[in-house]
Amino acid sequence: MNRGFFCDLDGTLADNMEIMFSVYQEFLRGFYLSPTPEEFALLNGPPLPQVVSVLKERHGLGGSLEGLVKTYQEILDASYMRAKPSPGASEILEAAKRSGMFIAIVTSSSYQRTLAWLDRNGLESVIDLIVSGGDCEGKPSPEPYKMALAKLRCSAEQSIAVEDSLQGIQSALSAQLRTFCYSSGPLRIAVPKTVSTITHFGELATFIPQLADRRDAAASNV
């Protein structure tokens, strides 16, 4: 079985939480509503149609869900590509790739938007798989990570996941992955005790050779 390095995109690999919050603000203000950081935090993780559905119901937004999702996407597309990789993220992905790990982006974002962002930031060549919001049941279901494990023939015991949202963490943990919570600022979610928190991707460097050592030890015992 292969080893996997699985990473969320928004707020994790991509340093774009300020952009995502501004998109959420602009969308709600278009309906003369007041956005809050607390509501935004609760909506971080699920696919966009689910997020907009919650906003529609909670705030009584008029119009069809399809039309509201389109409006949200247009606002998002106008600013999404400005985001840069999180500090140390590009380097750790390249190091994981060199160590023989398979790299997957497991995201609630669309495949097209994810691929365009990776290409813009020179990361497409190190990515083996994108599991996007439309591929299966979204986070917090374990299905996105189970799909990544299956498609890349990776062992959950020899793989890691990096997330920034509670829904994403629940998804990865439910798929039996060792999970890390990335937070570039103050931690705003209650992280399970089994999850380690990192503030810089470079902190993951020590886990790459450790995973390799564990795999080699397992093989020698066969």
Side-chain angles (χ1 to χ4, degrees):
M1 295 290 283
N2 299 317
R3 296 176 291 129
F5 188 109
F6 301 153
C7 190
D8 175 51
L9 181 62
D10 295 326
T12 309
L13 179 59
D15 185 13
N16 64 353
M17 276 297 98
E18 288 187 6
I19 291 174
M20 301 298 281
F21 183 60
S22 69
V23 170
Y24 155 77
Q25 288 179 306
E26 184 176 343
F27 176 77
L28 282 188
R29 286 171 179 165
F31 296 93
Y32 304 99
L33 296 169
S34 299
T36 66
E38 293 77 17
E39 180 179 64
F40 175 73
L42 291 173
L43 296 172
N44 182 21
L48 183 57
Q50 185 177 334
V51 169
V52 176
S53 178
V54 171
L55 291 174
K56 176 178 171 60
E57 181 176 353
R58 181 175 294 175
H59 298 288
L61 304 182
S64 67
L65 178 60
E66 182 181 14
L68 292 171
V69 171
K70 182 180 179 182
T71 297
Y72 204 112
Q73 286 178 328
E74 288 172 350
I75 300 171
L76 182 59
D77 286 336
S79 55
Y80 195 88
M81 292 302 154
R82 297 202 313 267
K84 300 297 183 183
S86 294
S90 300
E91 293 80 1
I92 204 68
L93 288 184
E94 291 167 358
K97 188 73 172 181
R98 288 194 300 271
S99 79
M101 299 181 84
F102 283 77
I103 314 296
I105 304 302
V106 183
T107 177
S108 295
S109 191
S110 71
Y111 179 86
Q112 292 80 5
R113 188 181 295 118
T114 301
L115 186 62
W117 185 87
L118 291 169
D119 182 60
R120 182 179 180 86
N121 289 281
L123 291 171
E124 183 184 358
S125 62
V126 301
I127 305 301
D128 297 295
L129 175 70
I130 297 171
V131 177
S132 65
D135 290 335
C136 59
E137 183 180 356
K139 303 170 186 177
S141 165
E143 291 309 309
Y145 281 101
K146 286 185 175 180
M147 178 178 286
L149 287 166
K151 287 195 172 185
L152 294 177
R153 296 181 57 81
C154 287
S155 161
E157 292 77 14
Q158 299 296 324
S159 302
I160 63 174
V162 189
E163 280 281 355
D164 75 309
S165 71
L166 183 57
Q167 292 93 332
I169 289 170
Q170 290 170 339
S171 175
L173 288 177
S174 296
Q176 307 301 312
L177 286 158
R178 178 167 188 176
T179 304
F180 295 84
C181 175
Y182 172 74
S183 179
S184 59
L187 194 61
R188 293 185 173 88
I189 59 174
V191 177
K193 293 181 179 179
T194 56
V195 174
S196 301
T197 300
I198 61 170
T199 59
H200 189 284
F201 269 80
E203 296 174 52
L204 294 171
T206 58
F207 293 95
I208 294 173
Q210 285 179 17
L211 288 169
D213 291 343
R214 285 164 55 190
R215 180 200 60 179
D216 294 341
S220 65
N221 291 329
V222 174

